Amino acid sequence: VFLVALVLVGLSAVYFFRQKQSEKYLEFEAYEIENIEKQVAGLYNEEKSDLSKDLSTDQLQTIQEDLEELKGKEYRSENQQRLKNAEEEYLAAKVMVDLQADVEALFIEKGIIEKDLTLEEVVNLEEQVGQFQEKVVYYDRNWMSLEDAKEQVNDIETATSFIDDLFEEDFVRVDVTRENEEEALELIQKIKNEEVREELMTRAEMVNVALIETEEALALEEALAEEAAAQQELEEAEELEQASEQSEQTEWQPNPSGTGNSSGSTGNTNTWRPPTNSSGGGTTSQDGDQSSNSSNEDTTDEVEAEDPDSSLEESDPEGSDNELEDPPNEE
């Protein structure tokens, strides 16, 4: 009985000891799981809708080391699942940190994207951020940043493409207009990246210079055309004036027959010839000229002499009758 009692007491002691050891082990196991869970929870805000503002790379490194150590231990299935959940939350937080860093790297400063950012990069990040929609605050913040980046990329690509179309190789196209230039400037003003804006403004200035040259050439052509038109009008006016003068000369030209009107009597003097001498005596041309001149003078004198007689006859017609009656009385 004594031996049986002693064995029973020993077995009970061993069982009690093991029970105590198991309880202590379970308590320590629970402590380790709870500890790692608290560390992982510290990576998020209280609502677990966003990353913690105090999160640091050192914190992530410490949690990673602790997880690697705990993963080598054997836990009850319940605690093993809790450890697995903690590890998943840690990995998610780590991805979110890296992803947010990638989103922030799209911008050289707040609200201004990198010069060479492409639309494919933005779309790729949008797909990754979309996996964390349950983290509402985190998702909304990064999604808005990506939408802003996408809009800026579109603005740059649209302005660049439009300005490229204004050139043919390295020269401005001949059909480019001021309206095209104004539209290009409006597109450039939408771009927030100063470096890209300056590059496009340089090309827009090339367009402006080309337009100025074209406008000056057109203005010169118009001036030459106006000058040519004025010269043509002047020549036509001169031709009309000459034609009018010729017409007037034709109207005033004397008739060859010498029977011109009174206005053309002066032209008949040029065709006058002296009368031939009835005696048939030969005279020289000089004598003929002298005789013609003398005959002209005599004719003039006769006209002048006749004027007073005619005036006298008109003033005293009765006297002329008396003179006619005197010869019979003398007889």
Side-chain angles (χ1 to χ4, degrees), residues 103-114 117-119 121-123 125-126 129 139-157 190-193:
V103 172
E104 293 173 352
L106 301 180
F107 299 85
I108 55 176
E109 58 183 88
K110 187 175 181 180
I112 301 177
I113 63 170
E114 285 283 351
L117 181 63
T118 63
L119 191 60
E121 294 179 69
V122 179
V123 172
L125 289 174
E126 281 184 339
V129 170
Y139 174 80
D140 290 344
R141 180 179 65 255
N142 288 282
W143 187 264
M144 290 177 63
S145 297
L146 291 173
E147 286 296 306
D148 183 23
K150 183 190 292 185
E151 182 178 355
Q152 292 189 51
V153 170
N154 287 329
D155 289 341
I156 292 175
E157 291 183 351
K190 295 180 180 180
I191 297 174
K192 296 181 180 180
N193 187 292

Side-chain angles (χ1 to χ4, degrees), residues 26 44 57 60 63 72 89 102 121-122 128 142 155 172 182 184 202 211 232 236 296 299 304 324:
L26 290 174
Y44 299 92
T57 54
L60 289 171
I63 294 174
E89 288 290 327
D102 291 339
E121 294 179 69
V122 179
Q128 297 181 54
N142 288 282
D155 289 341
V172 179
E182 292 175 0
T202 300
L211 288 173
Q232 184 176 0
E236 291 176 353
N296 290 335
T299 304
E304 291 176 354
L324 291 175

Side-chain angles (χ1 to χ4, degrees), residues 55-70:
L55 189 151
S56 64
T57 54
D58 292 339
Q59 187 179 357
L60 289 171
Q61 184 65 30
T62 300
I63 294 174
Q64 183 176 0
E65 293 174 356
D66 291 344
L67 282 171
E68 291 295 331
E69 183 180 351
L70 294 178

Side-chain angles (χ1 to χ4, degrees), residues 74-92:
E74 294 183 1
Y75 295 105
R76 292 182 304 172
S77 60
E78 180 182 351
N79 289 332
Q80 191 71 34
Q81 186 61 43
R82 291 172 63 187
L83 180 61
K84 183 179 179 180
N85 293 338
E87 184 180 12
E88 289 177 354
E89 288 290 327
Y90 161 76
L91 293 175

Side-chain angles (χ1 to χ4, degrees), residues 162 177-184 211:
F162 184 84
T177 63
R178 282 292 179 188
E179 289 74 13
N180 298 139
E181 181 197 17
E182 292 175 0
E183 186 174 354
L211 288 173

Side-chain angles (χ1 to χ4, degrees), residues 226-237:
E226 291 177 357
E227 183 178 354
Q231 182 65 26
Q232 184 176 0
E233 290 179 359
L234 180 60
E235 292 176 355
E236 291 176 353

Side-chain angles (χ1 to χ4, degrees), residues 67-322:
L67 282 171
E68 291 295 331
E69 183 180 351
L70 294 178
K71 286 168 62 178
K73 296 180 179 181
E74 294 183 1
Y75 295 105
R76 292 182 304 172
S77 60
E78 180 182 351
N79 289 332
Q80 191 71 34
Q81 186 61 43
R82 291 172 63 187
L83 180 61
K84 183 179 179 180
N85 293 338
E87 184 180 12
E88 289 177 354
E89 288 290 327
Y90 161 76
L91 293 175
K94 187 176 180 181
V95 171
M96 290 169 66
V97 169
D98 294 339
L99 185 57
Q100 181 165 289
D102 291 339
V103 172
E104 293 173 352
L106 301 180
F107 299 85
I108 55 176
E109 58 183 88
K110 187 175 181 180
I112 301 177
I113 63 170
E114 285 283 351
K115 170 186 174 182
D116 299 322
L117 181 63
T118 63
L119 191 60
E120 289 75 15
E121 294 179 69
V122 179
V123 172
N124 181 41
L125 289 174
E126 281 184 339
E127 293 176 355
Q128 297 181 54
V129 170
Q131 299 174 2
F132 298 95
Q133 295 187 30
E134 72 280 0
K135 309 294 184 182
V136 181
V137 177
Y138 174 87
Y139 174 80
D140 290 344
R141 180 179 65 255
N142 288 282
W143 187 264
M144 290 177 63
S145 297
L146 291 173
E147 286 296 306
D148 183 23
K150 183 190 292 185
E151 182 178 355
Q152 292 189 51
V153 170
N154 287 329
D155 289 341
I156 292 175
E157 291 183 351
T158 301
T160 303
S161 176
F162 184 84
I163 293 177
D164 287 343
D165 289 341
L166 301 181
F167 287 81
E168 189 171 351
E169 294 182 354
D170 295 331
F171 301 96
V172 179
R173 287 167 41 192
V174 295
D175 59 343
V176 173
T177 63
R178 282 292 179 188
E179 289 74 13
N180 298 139
E181 181 197 17
E182 292 175 0
E183 186 174 354
L185 293 175
E186 290 177 359
L187 293 174
I188 291 173
Q189 293 303 320
K190 295 180 180 180
I191 297 174
K192 296 181 180 180
N193 187 292
E194 184 176 355
E195 184 178 358
V196 176
R197 190 167 60 247
E198 289 179 355
E199 290 178 357
L200 294 179
M201 283 297 295
T202 300
R203 301 191 70 192
E205 183 61 27
M206 294 173 62
V207 174
N208 180 49
V209 171
L211 288 173
I212 290 175
E213 293 177 353
T214 301
E215 291 168 353
E216 290 178 349
L218 291 175
L220 180 59
E221 289 180 2
E222 291 178 359
L224 292 175
E226 291 177 357
E227 183 178 354
Q231 182 65 26
Q232 184 176 0
E233 290 179 359
L234 180 60
E235 292 176 355
E236 291 176 353
E238 291 177 352
E239 290 177 357
L240 291 174
E241 184 178 357
Q242 291 176 0
S244 176
E245 292 178 354
Q246 291 177 357
S247 176
E248 290 177 358
Q249 291 178 359
T250 303
E251 291 177 357
W252 289 93
Q253 184 174 2
N255 294 328
S257 60
T259 58
N261 54 23
S262 60
S263 62
S265 61
T266 56
N268 294 336
T269 59
N270 295 329
T271 59
W272 182 87
R273 294 291 184 272
T276 57
N277 193 352
S278 60
S279 63
T283 58
T284 63
S285 60
Q286 183 175 2
D287 293 337
D289 294 336
Q290 291 176 354
S291 62
S292 64
N293 291 334
S294 60
S295 62
N296 290 335
E297 291 176 356
D298 294 339
T299 304
T300 304
D301 294 337
E302 289 176 356
V303 171
E304 291 176 354
E306 288 175 359
D307 290 337
D309 293 339
S310 60
S311 62
L312 290 173
E313 291 176 355
E314 292 176 356
S315 61
D316 190 11
E318 295 179 355
S320 60
D321 294 338
N322 295 329

